[in-house]
Amino acid sequence: MTTTATQPARLGPLMRLALRARHANMFIVLVLALFVGLIFGGIMIVVTTPILLNSWSHAFSHPGATIASSFNTVWFAYEQLFQGAVVNFHALRMLIDNPSKVNLATVLTPLSGTLTYATPLIVAGLGLAIGFRSSLFNIGGQGQVVAGGVLALLVAFSFHLTPLVQVPLEILAAMLGGALLAGLAGVLKAYTGAHEVIVTMMSNYTMTLVLGYLLIQSLFARPGARDGASKAVGATGQLPYFFSHLSASLLLNFGFVIAVIAVIAVQWFFKRSKTGFELLMVGQNPDAARVAGIFSKRSIIICLTLAGSLLGLAGMLELTGVDHFITPNFGGSYGFDAITVALLGRNKPWGVFFGAIFFGAMFTGGEAMQAFTPTNIQFSLAQVIQAVVVFCVATPALLIEAFRLRDGAHLVSTTGSGGWL
Amino acid sequence: MKLELRGITKRFGTLVANHDVNLVVNPGEIHCLLGENGAGKSTLMNILYGLLIPDEGQILIDDEVVTIRDPKDAVGHGVGMVHQHFMLIPVFNVVDNVILGSEPVKPWPVIDYKAAAARLLDLANEYNFEIDPQATIENLPIGTQQRVEILKALSHHASVLILDEPTAVLTPQETDAFMVILRSLKESGKSIIFITHKLREVLALADVITVMRLGEVVGVTTPAQADERKLATMMVGRDVNLMVDKAPASPGEVVLDVRGIYVEDERGLTSVKNVSFEVRAGEILAVAGVQGNGQTELVEALTGMRRPSAGRITLNGVELAGEPVRRFLDAGIGHVPEDRQRYGLVPTLSISDNLVLDQLDDPRFRRRFGRNLKAIKNNGVQLVERYDIRAQSEEVAVSALSGGNQQKVVMARELSRELKLLICSQPTRGLDVGSVEFMHRQIVAIRDSGVAVIIVSSELDEVVALGDRIAVLYDGDIQAIVPPTTSREELGLLMAGARAEQVTL
Ligand SMILES: Nc1ncnc2c1ncn2[C@@H]1O[C@H](COP(=O)(O)OP(=O)(O)OP(=O)(O)O)[C@@H](O)[C@H]1O
Ligand SMILES: [Mg+2]
């Protein structure tokens, strides 16, 4: 009964591939986000470099030269960014020509810096992602990182056992610290309805003050320190460096392995474990979870406790992997950066992993860019690029519209729907 | 306005949801779209409304090709749509909802509510709708909410109105009122595309009927040329038994015993008052009644979702009232909730996962550590096959399923559990005739295996067809429990509040 009104157009394979690429998926969104970030950063470089900006005022007389000089500057800056974050080609060539310990260390330095910076961020991002996946907005990452760091430090200088016992003890203490703080927010939410955003936000301030107090107590304070630093973690409590035999500047440590284990564990937790599945249910549709007999109060408490324990662990990794002591601004902005990392990774474990590494790369690469570009391009430019990328990933609707991708509706939700990687 | 779809093809990955579909809708025509669950009706309509972009094909309005990329384009071309799941904001009032997105402003940026309300009333009068512009949506019955949706489409000067299963959620009374509305819309020259699974409505309303199967148009006919049987056969591709075959029940001992329960709703009003009844193993108790007479609260109490304020609920002698939901499930109570999307499914999870949602502790689906993904997947494969759930695979998210197939997932899950008592609210809502037949047979089979069954349905046909006894609920109380041989007139009187002794039985 059907009549063919129009003959469907025959498409060549290339055309079909092009059409396929216009179907929105997360990979394409990420690539486009990076692309937009780099373009935007490029414009910023031109605008903020006086010589280039001047050359554009003569753009009509020498259009070619103007574009070329701008392009070269931007290209050079991004080359520095990349080489500072991933691998330095110059050093690589030296290593190939002349294999030696020193050359190997130079090749490894950028990546080591990136991964070292990323390590606590991976674990903290995972902790926050657990909450977001379950629709709980734990923004108390900062306080939980501090709680974990403080308890780990307490264990670190209270005992001097063999590393095989000492380090796990520190881990447990740190996880307990974060778990107690976040779990408190969970209990309050479950039994009194107190909103977790308020409670966890307040706990950040509380922990900052508690930390300030502790650092002037003789128990924690390092005798004679003027910067308010604490006692240090002893040698047996530190996470071992992987490449200390090559160079003292290679800071990549065993914490990275712990972070990878945490990624796998969280992946397993949501995919395989009953509790993780229940958290997903409660997060995605609490009404259906209730009909299926899931006790949501319990889920809320479990969820925040687990999230907190990972954030506490992040504090421990920061303490025992890099600094080895605590200062009043311990943890930097890890607790908040981790929120962005979770968002960037769309709350999926491996997404968080790569999101954190991207942050690490922009940090170490940004420093290199500032140091090695002749026009002295600022470190904050890397952060501008990072911000644009995050912005694009957080609002896929914008990219989908701008690049006219098809059927992107399933990407336009920040909690990240769909299956696990 | 004449509307034409030409050669529409839409693929989701490897699945072809629409294949070379042609459809012509003439001005002032009620065009019924009929087809199995997953045949591609909603997909086609979403394409017409700009929610999906077709892979191939064209949309023509008055014989001119138009591009519709999003609903704004569609509205601009005079196409309006009322979705099966309403898109109203519950806490806003009627006017707010109707003007949302096209607020009249005068002077900018002040919204001119007065003008908006006046326009709305004019429009409502034109079509004889009764509506209070200031009423808050959440306080309105479903049928009235639907009128608001229709008004909203009309206020954008829609000349083609798409209605996707509008009657699935309506009571029979509301459906009658709705049919009157459709006819008056037609009188005024609007074209209507109307999707439903209820063949009786199709025959009563349609000018033209297009039947779809597996993404293709398989026939175009008119009510004059067809009857229910013929339509059913065209849809499903085989003969469908529109009646339920069942042997008389042979009830065993009492499974569920309900004694004097009182249940309050959210607002604290007592909506179930002193209800007592029992259900025996191997029988089906059907609960009839006009929506809003306490059915929802009664079911919520029987499944542990709502704690009765007084009374006892015992299952095989075990007291359950006041216990958590988990205990009800563990005691062997299966529950098919009325609102499947809100209470029955987690749309972002896969079909397999949704098929074990309330069975996470079942040893079949557990391993020593964690869930047994292999068993869960196998279970998914089996149930998808057995219940004819139309999907690319058991791994896709439930949100990608058609409405009827979502319902099948919930039914499949509950029917496949180890049960003592099965409680189904609107078990066949949104199912095509073939699936209704299948589900009815499954429910009877469960009964025959010795499970006690409670069916709550607003379809009198279903109540009479399935019930071994019929309990009529009125104003929170059971008016009478009568045999299924009771005439419809008597049932109607009971449902309207007549006492049993006033009705000659
Ligand atoms: N977003 C999507 N992704 C993948 N598959 C989809 C999506 N939407 C619909 N489908 C598939 O397309 C087919 C047609 O679905 P559609 O909703 O159009 O059916 P329908 O005719 O409206 O059925 P019902 O009567 O059950 O509502 C189904 O097999 C469905 O699983
Ligand atoms: Mg549909």
Side-chain angles (χ1 to χ4, degrees):
Chain A
M1 215 159 280
T2 54
T3 52
T4 323
T6 49
Q7 206 60 24
R10 297 249 167 268
L11 299 173
L14 249 180
M15 193 58 200
R16 211 169 287 173
L17 194 72
L19 276 180
R20 175 70 49 85
R22 293 192 53 186
H23 275 271
N25 65 38
M26 210 49 222
F27 179 72
I28 287 171
V29 166
L30 282 173
V31 170
L32 289 176
L34 199 59
F35 176 72
V36 172
L38 291 177
I39 295 284
F40 193 82
I43 295 172
M44 291 293 285
I45 290 178
V46 173
V47 172
T48 56
T49 309
I51 309 173
L52 293 180
L53 203 56
N54 266 334
S55 77
W56 277 92
S57 53
H58 315 300
F60 275 118
S61 42
H62 321 288
T66 305
I67 293 173
S69 69
S70 293
F71 183 81
N72 285 339
T73 309
V74 172
W75 183 261
F76 185 74
Y78 285 165
E79 211 176 300
Q80 298 309 316
L81 183 72
F82 182 82
Q83 300 206 31
V86 186
V87 62
N88 186 317
F89 298 121
H90 184 63
L92 191 62
R93 194 161 318 123
M94 290 213 328
L95 175 70
I96 293 168
D97 291 346
N98 171 23
S100 77
K101 261 190 177 185
V102 178
N103 284 337
L104 181 59
T106 347
V107 170
L108 290 177
T109 303
L111 202 56
S112 158
T114 295
L115 297 183
T116 308
Y117 187 89
T119 298
L121 209 47
I122 293 171
V123 178
L126 285 175
L128 292 178
I130 288 186
F132 297 155
R133 271 252 134 182
S134 322
S135 298
L136 284 173
F137 293 89
N138 170 14
I139 54 168
Q142 202 64 34
Q144 291 149 26
V145 166
V146 170
V150 166
L151 280 203
L153 180 67
L154 191 63
V155 169
F157 63 63
S158 302
F159 305 103
H160 297 280
L161 309 162
T162 136
L164 275 181
V165 183
Q166 179 88 359
V167 170
L169 263 186
E170 289 166 6
I171 291 178
L172 284 182
M175 291 177 79
L176 183 72
L180 283 178
L181 192 59
L184 178 68
V187 171
L188 287 175
K189 173 164 179 108
Y191 289 100
T192 68
H195 202 288
E196 75 276 10
V197 168
I198 308 286
V199 176
T200 53
M201 194 196 304
M202 289 306 158
S203 73
N204 284 339
Y205 297 122
T206 311
M207 283 315 294
T208 305
L209 296 174
V210 167
L211 180 63
Y213 170 79
L214 288 179
L215 285 178
I216 54 171
Q217 303 305 304
S218 58
L219 177 62
F220 282 90
R222 181 192 306 177
R226 259 172 295 140
D227 52 358
S230 73
K231 292 178 189 165
V233 177
T236 56
Q238 300 180 1
L239 290 166
Y241 295 112
F242 287 134
F243 303 112
S244 53
H245 56 290
L246 291 178
S247 154
S249 65
L250 289 174
L251 294 177
L252 188 64
N253 58 68
F254 190 73
F256 186 69
V257 175
I258 297 179
V260 171
I261 294 173
V263 171
I264 294 170
V266 171
Q267 171 100 345
W268 182 90
F269 175 72
F270 276 124
K271 194 162 176 181
R272 279 289 175 116
S273 80
K274 178 186 163 214
T275 311
F277 187 76
E278 288 182 353
L279 293 188
L280 282 183
M281 277 174 73
V282 172
Q284 309 272 324
N285 187 352
D287 288 322
R290 201 159 83 85
V291 174
I294 287 158
F295 189 49
S296 64
K297 286 188 167 70
R298 188 175 150 260
S299 298
I300 290 171
I301 297 170
I302 290 180
C303 174
L304 282 172
T305 308
L306 281 174
S309 66
L310 281 172
L311 283 145
L313 177 62
M316 180 271 183
L317 295 178
E318 170 75 357
L319 172 71
T320 56
V322 182
D323 295 344
H324 302 149
F325 58 86
I326 284 180
T327 62
N329 45 20
F330 172 74
S333 60
Y334 269 151
F336 293 109
D337 287 350
I339 296 178
T340 326
V341 165
L343 187 83
L344 191 60
R346 307 219 106 214
N347 298 327
K348 302 197 174 189
W350 288 107
V352 168
F353 179 80
F354 290 112
I357 290 179
F358 174 69
F359 265 55
M362 293 314 259
F363 185 83
T364 49
E367 284 185 328
M369 184 170 69
Q370 169 158 346
F372 299 122
T373 46
T375 47
N376 216 340
I377 288 161
Q378 291 299 308
F379 169 70
S380 34
L381 188 85
Q383 294 192 314
V384 169
I385 297 172
Q386 179 175 308
V388 173
V389 171
V390 168
F391 183 78
C392 288
V393 172
T395 52
L398 213 64
L399 285 182
I400 287 163
E401 193 54 33
F403 291 90
R404 305 228 137 216
L405 301 179
R406 316 178 112 201
D407 295 339
H410 64 287
L411 294 177
V412 188
S413 94
T414 46
T415 42
S417 59
W420 284 73
L421 297 171
Chain B
M1 175 172 113
K2 182 181 167 200
L3 177 87
E4 185 173 352
L5 298 174
R6 243 186 227 172
I8 301 281
T9 295
K10 175 74 192 173
R11 301 183 196 89
F12 293 109
T14 56
L15 183 139
V16 187
N18 285 156
H19 180 242
D20 192 20
V21 174
N22 296 301
L23 188 78
V24 181
V25 183
N26 289 308
E29 170 177 292
I30 298 185
H31 197 120
C32 274
L33 206 50
L34 206 59
E36 284 178 296
N37 295 127
K41 306 178 295 291
S42 298
T43 303
L44 190 66
M45 292 303 108
N46 286 337
I47 287 172
L48 178 53
Y49 195 57
L51 289 166
L52 292 171
I53 311 288
D55 296 320
E56 282 157 36
Q58 295 169 320
I59 300 172
L60 290 86
I61 287 177
D62 291 329
D63 296 320
E64 292 203 22
V65 177
V66 295
T67 1
I68 296 185
R69 275 193 61 93
D70 54 30
K72 250 204 196 108
D73 292 345
V75 169
H77 284 111
V79 177
M81 180 158 182
V82 177
H83 294 267
Q84 183 175 347
H85 301 102
F86 301 153
M87 310 268 176
L88 298 170
I89 299 182
V91 294
F92 278 15
N93 70 23
V94 173
V95 185
D96 293 340
N97 269 287
V98 170
I99 62 175
L100 191 68
S102 58
E103 302 84 353
V105 282
K106 194 193 78 171
W108 193 86
V110 181
I111 295 177
D112 191 349
Y113 283 106
K114 238 192 207 142
R119 272 227 343 250
L120 180 68
L121 277 179
D122 281 348
L123 204 59
N125 286 336
E126 195 179 326
Y127 299 101
N128 292 321
F129 285 14
E130 255 178 57
I131 206 135
D132 170 11
Q134 306 305 332
T136 307
I137 294 294
E138 61 190 352
N139 297 334
L140 295 175
I142 297 286
T144 316
Q145 292 189 22
Q146 191 164 54
R147 264 176 241 177
V148 177
E149 284 273 20
I150 295 175
L151 276 175
K152 179 162 184 161
L154 292 174
S155 77
H156 294 132
H157 309 288
S159 36
V160 175
L161 207 54
I162 305 168
L163 302 160
D164 194 350
E165 294 192 43
T167 54
V169 290
L170 298 187
T171 63
Q173 295 76 8
E174 285 173 328
T175 303
D176 292 341
F178 173 77
M179 306 228 290
V180 174
I181 290 176
L182 278 203
R183 290 207 183 91
S184 78
L185 286 171
K186 175 188 159 167
E187 302 280 281
S188 67
K190 311 270 179 205
S191 319
I192 292 159
I193 306 179
F194 174 45
I195 301 178
T196 182
H197 289 294
K198 298 178 186 168
L199 303 179
R200 193 164 345 131
E201 292 167 8
V202 175
L203 292 174
L205 278 175
D207 295 310
V208 181
I209 305 166
T210 296
V211 182
M212 291 181 72
R213 181 167 2 122
L214 299 175
E216 300 189 39
V217 172
V218 291
V220 180
T221 179
T222 62
Q225 296 164 359
D227 57 21
E228 290 196 21
R229 173 152 303 246
K230 211 163 142 195
L231 287 178
T233 312
M234 262 171 103
M235 264 171 74
V236 184
R238 64 174 166 89
D239 270 339
V240 178
N241 184 357
L242 296 171
M243 307 298 290
V244 180
D245 288 323
K246 71 182 198 340
S250 43
E253 71 259 41
V254 174
V255 172
L256 177 74
D257 188 15
V258 179
R259 283 289 145 241
I261 61 165
Y262 287 81
V263 189
E264 290 175 4
D265 65 11
E266 282 92 30
R267 290 165 294 174
L269 304 174
T270 309
S271 41
V272 174
K273 299 163 188 158
N274 194 16
V275 163
S276 304
F277 63 92
E278 52 190 42
V279 190
R280 291 172 179 273
E283 72 161 347
I284 300 176
L285 177 75
V287 177
V290 178
Q291 198 69 23
N293 275 283
Q295 291 96 326
T296 310
E297 288 77 12
L298 177 63
V299 168
E300 284 180 346
L302 295 183
T303 51
M305 303 263 298
R306 200 178 280 276
R307 177 191 287 261
S309 45
R312 293 185 11 232
I313 300 171
T314 41
L315 190 84
N316 287 335
V318 181
E319 176 65 46
L320 286 177
E323 297 284 332
V325 179
R326 190 73 252 162
R327 287 263 293 132
F328 283 72
L329 290 167
D330 291 344
I333 297 182
H335 176 203
V336 176
E338 172 181 349
D339 185 343
R340 60 179 174 243
Q341 288 201 316
R342 177 155 175 214
Y343 291 106
L345 297 165
V346 181
T348 47
L349 295 178
S350 71
I351 300 178
S352 301
D353 280 340
N354 271 285
L355 283 169
V356 296
L357 224 46
D358 53 5
Q359 297 156 48
L360 298 178
D361 286 318
D362 188 321
R364 285 187 297 158
F365 304 126
R366 304 231 44 190
R367 296 196 316 182
R368 188 128 67 92
F369 295 107
R371 305 188 301 137
N372 186 344
L373 295 188
K374 211 169 183 186
I376 290 172
K377 185 182 161 73
N378 281 341
N379 178 65
V381 172
Q382 272 175 28
L383 292 183
V384 162
E385 159 91 36
R386 200 155 144 235
Y387 288 85
D388 190 23
I389 298 167
R390 305 275 167 95
Q392 271 158 293
S393 87
E394 71 292 337
E395 294 304 319
V396 302
V398 156
S399 57
L401 289 185
S402 79
N405 282 301
Q406 293 184 357
Q407 177 74 6
K408 289 189 205 168
V409 171
V410 180
M411 285 293 287
R413 175 180 71 220
E414 297 307 312
L415 289 174
S416 63
R417 279 180 52 199
E418 191 76 35
L419 292 177
K420 300 271 186 321
L421 170 68
L422 173 67
I423 303 177
C424 296
S425 282
Q426 317 295 349
T428 54
R429 177 172 283 177
L431 293 187
D432 64 49
V433 281
S435 306
V436 169
E437 178 198 23
F438 176 77
M439 284 306 169
H440 282 170
R441 262 195 275 134
Q442 296 302 309
I443 291 172
V444 171
I446 281 271
R447 174 200 79 168
D448 291 341
S449 72
V451 173
V453 180
I454 298 178
I455 299 289
V456 180
S457 176
S458 54
E459 299 284 320
L460 210 47
D461 287 341
E462 186 160 74
V463 165
V464 173
L466 280 179
D468 296 315
R469 292 187 297 145
I470 299 173
V472 182
L473 212 54
Y474 175 76
D475 194 23
D477 195 4
I478 291 184
Q479 293 294 101
I481 296 186
V482 296
T485 47
T486 312
S487 75
R488 280 167 185 267
E489 292 70 46
E490 284 164 344
L491 283 173
L493 284 172
L494 288 171
M495 282 163 67
R499 303 290 331 178
E501 49 283 2
Q502 295 169 290
V503 180
T504 48
L505 291 175

